[in-house]
């Protein structure tokens, strides 16, 4: 049991150890505890020495620590969950998964009003899923579900929330189905309880749990086809094995039974193939479905004719087997990662409703009802839903929209675009454009409306389908003419040609190979939107990388340069930095313990920190901030962080280090493809990347520039792979042949793309490309083999030697060869990615 | 040889029964999630020390 499951859990864990919806990579964690402690640091006794990991979520506590009798915690939320679980005897939560950690409870804009929409009957109805006299069922998507522990705890939700019954967790789709008694609890109470545990249900439309209905239909069809094929084989054996013709009464009985079984196979199990072919023909288009449907119909018609005229037993057993194999091919095609949303709309980044100033105070308003002129009151951590002008100074983080790392100051009257996140202090904003007309929405439309080249599989299938139809029909006519004037034999030969030319093995080759490849890649942390994406990956010849968040990890900067202060003075700055949670401060302070001699600290998020270290006034932050608190003029240079100690000032530069393995990864990729670096950041790190990209670097690229650049490369006939992480790359990801999004923690914040890669798996990109190329070659090999089988069959058909027995053997054997070849070749030497 | 008719009838009955069982299983959602139940079943509930040792005897002590 275990050797298989933990591997999966491991991969899922990588993807899913996401921060809650409201914390983004690259943003300092501003937890309630931090804000409560930061004005004055005299309560330092509550803090322990760093580094330590949180007892609940297992993350390194980079900011302030909270210690109590249970252990150390990174935030109040984690401590509360831990205490709650202990109290209810649910401490096993930490022992039933390999890594034994829980998701961090949401410390974003946790407000009592967040789930107020669930009190509305219309909204809550969208989450209800049947019920009976006592119980009602609700279905939620919970993005934080990732491992066995999550499943264990959520199944025991009834111990924490009265009125809750069973709770079925679907790890794959990250959904829960909760039974509850309407009189005793409400959807809102359940949602709030789950949020307090770190499992906040997602309410946005993109996260509506889908009912897995289509797969049920496919399973039923496979069941019907397998049932029919098995029984027909039994009914056909007497005839094949008898040696002499059966007595006609028995032969008729078996034939009748076969026809009886074949009818549901044709009209139910094979329905999709016939419908697809009919749709293609109606628009005067020939796809691979057309010769398949033609083959199936001829097979069935000819068999029926043979049976009715008493010429023979027909090929009905081969027919049912064929449909069964075709359906199994469909099953491979359905390798899908339900838990990952590839097609996000901009809406999933935005809150459902915001507080708006009204005549009577504030009111909660759905963001669609916002009109220009409304004044929104946003708290720290909340996302601005519509372009709006600021009513007072503040700080926002534009990482989503521009890819810029550092939060920026905004002044009274300045317009902030939708998607910006409020940092530090609450902010009042006046809406200037409605949600649907905001820049975020238009960026998103640009990405979805982008001219994307059609998937290679579609073009290939169309080309093969046309060639196949022409050749098969041509041969059938030729065979018919060759036997002229013997019309009877001619018709038999013609139908035999159409039967044997049915490109069943061909239709199996691509889905089985690509489906197997997608499954293997998924286990390695590379998730394809559809298996067909692997074919497009196989012919990529240009790779465009985004920098921030893709090649570098935004949350762990390194200090590269300390200037204009001496070592003793920098040590003093370090002591101040030790009490800050900002990533640069953490990097500067290193692991030194929190200093009790740092007093009168005042930190302004997104700007800087000022305080007294051993009586000396010290400031650290952006140039405007240090200028403001010290009254000195600084010659500000972009990308620098300034510090002042007493009357001296200096500066430092920090860089976000590349992910491990990046250098060798890019070097390996550039062997097989042209590599480009495209970043929205300033060009301060150009020299750093020169050895890898030489002059193929572009900085200060707006999202539109990135998309234009990709389109320009494609216009030059290149197959472009774009790798990015944020909204600022969304347009480029949408128009590239293949768009890969890197997801570190927040799998729920990935823009629309074809592939989602976990941050750890990105370094295996060269292996992934190679594996995709192998898939392409395996398909070519399978095609060659199936053509070989078809040639043998055609020879038999044209000479009139294609008997039912030969068909009954040849067709399944060719299908089995293809399935065996493609799964086997894609499973051996799968690039082994340590997880 | 008429026994073959009975055999076919019996075989069809059994096979049809399994077919019906399969369709019912698919319809009732038993194939919707093939990972979670396999993991859920592995959890043991904690061994709670029996409160009433007199009745349980020394087996659990």
């Amino acid at each position: 049991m275990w050797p298989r499951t933990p591997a999966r859990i491991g991969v899922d864990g990588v993807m899913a150890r996401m921060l809650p919806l409201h914390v983004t990579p690259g943003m300092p964690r501003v937890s309630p505890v931090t804000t409560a402690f930061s004005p004055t640091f005299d309560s330092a006794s509550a803090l322990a020495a760093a580094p330590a990991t949180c007892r609940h979520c297992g993350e390194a506590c980079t900011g302030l620590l909270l210690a109590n009798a249970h252990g150390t915690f990174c935030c109040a939320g984690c401590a509360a969950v831990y205490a709650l679980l202990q109290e209810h005897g649910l401490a096993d939560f930490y022992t039933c998964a390999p890594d034994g950690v829980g998701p961090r409870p949401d410390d974003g804009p946790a407000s009592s009003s967040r789930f107020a929409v669930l009190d509305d009957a219309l909204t809550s109805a969208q989450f209800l899923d049947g019920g009976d006299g006592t119980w009602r069922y609700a279905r939620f998507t919970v993005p934080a579900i990732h491992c066995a522990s999550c499943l264990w705890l959520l199944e025991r939700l009834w111990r924490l929330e009265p009125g809750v019954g069973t709770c079925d967790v679907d790890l794959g789709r990250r959904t829960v189905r909760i039974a509850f008694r309407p009189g005793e609890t409400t959807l809102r109470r359940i949602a709030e309880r789950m949020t307090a545990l770190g499992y906040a249900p997602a309410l946005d439309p993109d996260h509506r749990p889908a009912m897995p209905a289509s797969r049920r239909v496919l399973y039923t069809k496979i069941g019907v086809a397998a049932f029919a094929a098995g029984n027909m084989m039994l009914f056909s054996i007497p005839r094949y094995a008898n040696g002499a013709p059966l007595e006609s009464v028995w032969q008729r009985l078996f034939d009748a039974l076969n026809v009886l079984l074949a009818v549901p196979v044709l009209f139910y199990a094979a329905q999709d193939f016939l419908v697809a072919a009919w749709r293609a023909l109606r628009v005067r288009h020939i796809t691979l479905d057309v010769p398949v449907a033609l083959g199936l119909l001829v097979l069935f018609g000819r068999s029926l004719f043979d049976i009715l005229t008493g010429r023979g037993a027909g090929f009905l057993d081969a027919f049912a087997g064929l449909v069964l194999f075709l359906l199994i091919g469909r099953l491979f095609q359905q390798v899908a990662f339900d838990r990952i949303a590839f097609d996000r709309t901009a809406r999933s980044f935005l809150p459902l409703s915001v507080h708006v100033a009204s005549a009577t105070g504030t009111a909660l308003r759905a963001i669609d009802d916002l009109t220009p002129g409304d004044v929104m009151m946003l708290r720290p951590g909340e996302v601005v839903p519509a372009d709006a002008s600021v009513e007072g100074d503040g700080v926002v983080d534009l990482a989503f929209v521009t890819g810029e790392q550092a939060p920026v100051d905004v002044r009274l009257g300045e317009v902030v675009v939708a998607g910006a996140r409020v940092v530090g202090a609450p902010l009042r904003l006046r809406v200037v454009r409605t949600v649907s007309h905001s820049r975020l929405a238009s960026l998103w439309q640009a990405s979805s409306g982008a001219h994307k080249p059609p998937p290679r599989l579609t073009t290939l299938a169309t080309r093969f389908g046309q060639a196949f139809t022409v050749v098969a029909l041509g041969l059938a006519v030729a065979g018919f003419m060759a036997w002229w004037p013997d019309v009877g034999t001619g018709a038999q030969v013609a139908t035999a040609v159409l039967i044997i030319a049915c490109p069943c093995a061909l239709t199996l080759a691509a889905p089985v190979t690509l489906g197997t490849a997608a499954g293997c890649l998924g286990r390695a942390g590379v998730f394809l939107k559809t298996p067909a994406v692997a074919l497009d990956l196989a012919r990529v010849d240009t790779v465009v990388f985004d920098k921030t968040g893709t090649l570098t990890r935004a949350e762990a900067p390194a200090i590269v340069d300390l200037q204009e202060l001496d070592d003793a003075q920098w040590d003093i700055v370090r002591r101040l930095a030790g009490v800050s949670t900002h990533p640069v401060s953490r990097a500067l302070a290193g692991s030194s313990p929190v200093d009790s001699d740092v007093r009168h600290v005042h930190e302004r998020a997104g700007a800087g920190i000022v305080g007294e270290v051993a009586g000396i006034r010290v400031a650290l932050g952006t140039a405007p901030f240090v200028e403001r608190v010290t009254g000195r003029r600084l010659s500000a240079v972009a990308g620098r962080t300034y510090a002042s100690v007493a009357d001296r000032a200096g500066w430092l530069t920090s860089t976000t280090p590349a992910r491990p393995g990046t250098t060798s990864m890019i070097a390996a990729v550039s062997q097989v493809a042209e590599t480009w670096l495209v970043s929205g950041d300033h060009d301060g790190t150009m020299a750093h990347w020169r050895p890898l990209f030489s002059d193929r670097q572009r900085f200060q690229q707006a999202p539109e520039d990135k998309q234009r650049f990709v389109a320009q490369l494609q216009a030059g006939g290149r197959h472009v792979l774009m790798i990015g992480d944020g909204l600022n790359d969304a347009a480029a990801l949408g128009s590239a042949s293949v768009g890969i999004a890197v997801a570190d923690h927040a799998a729920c914040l990935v823009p629309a793309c074809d592939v989602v890669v976990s941050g750890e798996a990105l370094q295996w990109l060269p292996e992934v490309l190679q594996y995709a190329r192998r898939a392409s070659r395996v398909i070519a090999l399978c095609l060659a083999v199936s053509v070989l089988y078809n040639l043998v069959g055609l020879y038999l058909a044209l000479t009139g030697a294609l008997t039912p027995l030969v068909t009954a053997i040849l067709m399944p054997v060719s299908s089995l060869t293809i399935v065996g070849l493609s799964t086997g070749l894609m499973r051996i030497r799968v690039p082994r990615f340590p997880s | 040889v008429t026994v073959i008719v009975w055999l076919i009838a019996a075989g069809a009955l059994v096979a049809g029964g399994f077919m019906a069982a399969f369709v019912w299983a698919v319809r009732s959602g038993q194939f919707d999630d093939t990972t979670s139940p396999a993991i859920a079943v592995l959890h043991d509930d904690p061994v709670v020390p029996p409160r009433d040792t007199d009745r349980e005897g020394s087996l659990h002590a």
Side-chain angles (χ1 to χ4, degrees):
Chain A
M1 268 337 255
W2 276 114
R4 187 172 165 83
T5 36
R8 282 208 184 163
I9 294 166
V11 172
D12 285 359
V14 167
M15 284 302 296
R17 203 157 316 117
M18 59 184 74
L19 300 178
L21 195 62
H22 296 278
V23 181
T24 49
M27 206 197 127
R29 290 179 195 141
V30 185
S31 68
V33 188
T34 323
T35 31
F37 278 122
S38 47
T40 50
F41 258 90
D42 297 330
S43 54
S45 57
L47 310 166
T53 53
C54 178
R55 184 80 182 79
H56 172 68
C57 71
E59 302 256 342
C61 302
T62 47
L64 303 169
L65 283 169
L66 206 65
N68 61 22
H70 292 308
T72 53
F73 298 93
C74 63
C75 61
C78 283
V81 177
Y82 191 88
L84 186 72
L85 296 186
Q86 295 292 336
E87 185 189 322
H88 286 83
L90 294 171
D92 275 5
F93 173 68
Y94 298 99
T95 57
C96 54
D99 44 4
V101 295
R104 182 200 301 260
D106 203 337
D107 53 5
S111 60
S112 55
S113 58
R114 185 166 153 207
F115 293 106
V117 285
L118 287 178
D119 285 338
D120 173 42
L122 264 177
T123 313
S124 61
Q126 293 169 321
F127 298 96
L128 290 178
D129 176 22
D132 51 40
T134 356
W135 298 102
R136 279 252 207 110
Y137 296 92
R139 210 183 265 271
F140 285 121
T141 298
V142 183
I145 292 178
H146 67 282
C147 68
S149 278
C150 305
L151 192 148
W152 184 87
L153 181 60
L154 286 171
E155 281 192 339
R156 282 154 185 78
L157 193 65
W158 57 273
R159 284 164 77 164
L160 299 169
E161 178 67 34
V164 169
T166 56
C167 179
D168 294 318
V169 181
D170 186 331
L171 267 180
R173 294 184 185 79
R174 297 191 173 158
T175 58
V176 291
R177 187 166 182 263
I178 302 171
F180 67 102
R181 277 194 289 267
E184 290 175 41
T185 186
T186 63
L187 267 190
R188 179 181 173 179
R189 289 241 307 269
I190 296 171
E192 282 168 358
R193 171 66 74 187
M194 289 166 69
T195 307
L197 288 171
Y199 298 98
L203 298 187
D204 51 288
D206 282 2
H207 275 114
R208 291 286 140 76
M211 304 297 163
S214 70
R215 217 162 293 191
R216 288 186 190 177
V217 173
L218 181 63
Y219 285 141
T220 316
K221 283 180 177 168
I222 289 180
V224 168
F227 172 81
N231 282 292
M232 285 155 100
M233 237 177 264
L234 282 177
F235 295 148
S236 302
I237 281 177
R239 182 190 170 83
Y240 298 146
N242 200 35
L246 286 173
E247 267 177 67
S248 75
V249 55
W250 296 122
Q251 185 56 50
R252 262 195 227 128
L253 173 67
F254 291 131
D255 286 347
L257 286 169
N258 275 349
V259 173
L260 210 64
L261 286 168
V263 168
V265 174
L266 179 72
F267 291 106
Y268 177 66
Q271 189 184 20
D272 290 351
F273 304 103
L274 303 180
V275 170
W278 175 242
R279 284 215 185 109
L281 283 177
R282 269 226 320 230
V283 294
R284 294 166 190 284
H285 193 69
I286 289 179
T287 60
L288 206 50
D289 288 317
V290 173
V292 170
L294 187 69
L296 289 177
L297 284 175
V298 170
L299 198 49
F300 185 79
R302 160 89 190 266
S303 308
L304 209 60
F305 179 79
D306 281 0
I307 289 169
L308 289 179
T309 55
R311 283 163 181 269
F315 308 86
L316 287 177
D317 51 338
F319 165 74
L322 188 64
V323 172
L324 177 62
F325 273 110
L326 288 171
L327 287 171
I328 289 174
R330 283 266 155 119
L331 195 64
F332 273 92
Q333 235 165 339
Q334 292 218 341
V335 176
F337 300 101
D338 298 301
R339 63 186 172 283
I340 298 168
F342 291 94
D343 296 306
R344 316 237 55 148
T345 57
R347 300 299 299 267
S348 48
F349 289 77
L350 303 178
L352 284 175
S353 52
V354 287
H355 284 282
V356 171
S358 67
T360 54
T362 62
L364 205 58
R365 186 169 307 169
I367 57 169
D368 281 323
D369 299 336
L370 289 174
T371 48
D374 284 342
V375 175
M376 301 180 287
M377 328 271 275
L378 298 186
R379 276 161 299 190
E382 282 189 309
V383 172
V384 181
D387 296 356
S389 67
V390 189
E391 306 256 285
D393 295 353
V395 186
V396 294
D397 163 28
L398 288 168
F400 265 169
V401 191
T402 62
E404 192 108 10
Q405 280 175 28
V408 291
D409 285 311
V410 284
R411 306 234 170 279
L412 177 70
E414 214 173 303
V415 172
V416 172
V417 293
R421 185 186 300 276
V422 177
V423 180
L427 202 57
R428 286 167 62 96
L429 299 111
R430 187 175 293 275
V431 176
V432 295
R433 267 185 290 274
T434 57
V435 173
S436 52
H437 288 90
S438 290
R439 181 152 178 260
L440 185 84
S442 53
L443 261 180
W444 216 275
Q445 270 147 21
S447 76
S448 56
H451 179 71
K452 196 181 183 74
R456 197 170 156 213
L457 184 63
T458 319
T459 40
L460 278 183
T462 311
R463 211 178 302 155
F464 265 106
Q466 286 163 351
F468 229 90
T469 314
V470 170
V471 171
L473 282 176
L475 279 172
V477 170
F480 185 76
M481 297 313 276
W483 287 89
W484 190 264
D486 182 356
V487 178
T489 318
Q492 277 196 23
V493 167
T495 46
V497 166
L498 288 177
I499 287 168
I500 206 66
C502 175
C504 165
L506 270 179
T507 21
L508 276 178
V512 174
T513 309
L514 297 175
T516 312
C520 289
L521 286 175
R523 245 159 274 147
V526 179
F527 303 95
L528 308 186
K529 182 178 168 189
T530 61
V533 173
L535 259 192
D536 293 294
L537 266 180
R539 71 168 174 183
V540 159
D541 56 11
T542 307
V543 183
V544 178
F545 291 95
D546 167 56
K547 184 177 73 74
T548 315
T550 305
L551 293 180
T552 63
R553 288 197 58 164
E555 62 263 50
I559 308 296
V560 286
D561 209 4
L562 295 172
Q563 293 293 333
E564 291 178 23
L565 290 178
D566 58 35
D567 286 350
Q569 285 165 326
W570 278 118
D571 281 340
I572 293 172
V573 178
R574 276 195 188 95
R575 288 167 70 182
L576 175 74
V579 300
S580 164
T581 55
H582 191 274
V584 173
S585 298
R586 299 307 313 165
L588 185 64
S591 59
S592 53
V594 171
D595 202 322
S596 58
D597 204 16
V598 180
R599 290 174 190 283
H600 308 300
V601 177
H602 178 76
E603 181 164 9
R604 199 167 150 221
I609 181 168
V610 59
E612 269 179 25
V613 179
I616 307 168
R617 193 165 165 77
V618 185
L620 174 69
T622 61
F625 177 82
V626 176
E627 278 177 353
R628 207 175 317 147
V629 297
T630 58
R632 307 167 42 110
R633 290 288 305 153
L634 300 165
S635 46
V637 174
R640 287 181 185 174
T641 302
Y642 288 84
S644 82
V645 178
D647 56 344
R648 299 264 303 143
W651 52 268
L652 63 92
T653 50
S654 62
T655 176
T656 47
R659 294 172 186 280
T662 300
T663 313
S664 54
M665 182 267 284
I666 296 170
V669 169
S670 53
Q671 305 266 317
V672 293
E674 191 176 283
T675 49
W676 284 86
L677 183 69
V678 173
S679 175
D681 223 345
H682 59 83
D683 57 6
T685 55
M686 198 157 177
H688 174 77
W689 294 102
R690 196 175 296 281
L692 284 169
F693 291 98
S694 70
D695 288 330
R696 295 186 305 278
Q697 305 187 45
R698 297 178 140 229
F699 284 92
Q700 278 157 328
Q701 298 280 299
E704 294 84 356
D705 298 332
K706 292 184 182 179
Q707 185 192 9
R708 222 170 289 131
F709 179 63
V710 168
Q712 191 188 319
L713 286 171
Q714 282 177 323
R718 297 194 153 272
H719 303 292
V720 178
L721 166 63
M722 170 79 202
I723 306 182
D725 71 313
L727 179 57
N728 56 321
D729 304 312
L733 289 173
S735 56
S737 301
V738 184
I740 297 188
V742 180
D744 258 316
H745 299 287
C748 44
L749 296 177
V750 170
C753 59
D754 305 303
V755 185
V756 175
V757 165
S758 67
E760 288 84 351
L762 184 65
Q763 56 179 312
W764 306 110
L765 184 67
E767 283 83 356
V768 171
L769 291 177
Q770 214 171 11
Y771 188 65
R773 287 193 182 151
R774 192 208 299 182
S776 177
R777 282 197 303 271
V778 167
I779 292 177
L781 177 72
C782 289
L783 294 190
V785 171
S786 74
V787 165
L788 209 69
Y789 271 115
N790 276 339
L791 286 180
V792 173
L794 277 175
Y795 172 76
L796 294 175
L798 286 171
T799 52
L802 192 73
T803 60
L805 180 58
V806 173
T807 321
I809 293 170
L810 193 65
M811 293 187 92
V813 167
S814 72
S815 299
L816 275 177
T817 318
I818 298 302
V819 172
L821 261 183
S822 46
T823 49
L825 289 175
M826 290 320 288
R827 267 175 213 278
I828 53 160
R829 289 194 289 126
V830 175
R832 215 153 263 296
F833 313 128
S835 52
Chain B
V1 205
T2 45
V3 70
I4 210 160
V5 176
W6 293 107
L7 278 175
I8 289 173
L13 208 68
V14 172
F18 279 108
M19 183 74 222
F22 176 72
V23 170
W24 168 80
V26 171
R27 291 261 157 97
S28 64
Q30 297 197 28
F31 291 87
D32 288 353
D33 179 13
T34 47
T35 30
S36 320
I39 293 170
V41 82
L42 292 176
H43 295 311
D44 290 324
D45 276 325
V47 182
V48 182
R51 282 181 208 143
D52 192 354
T53 41
D54 291 336
R55 221 188 310 152
E56 296 285 327
S58 55
L59 261 177
H60 295 274

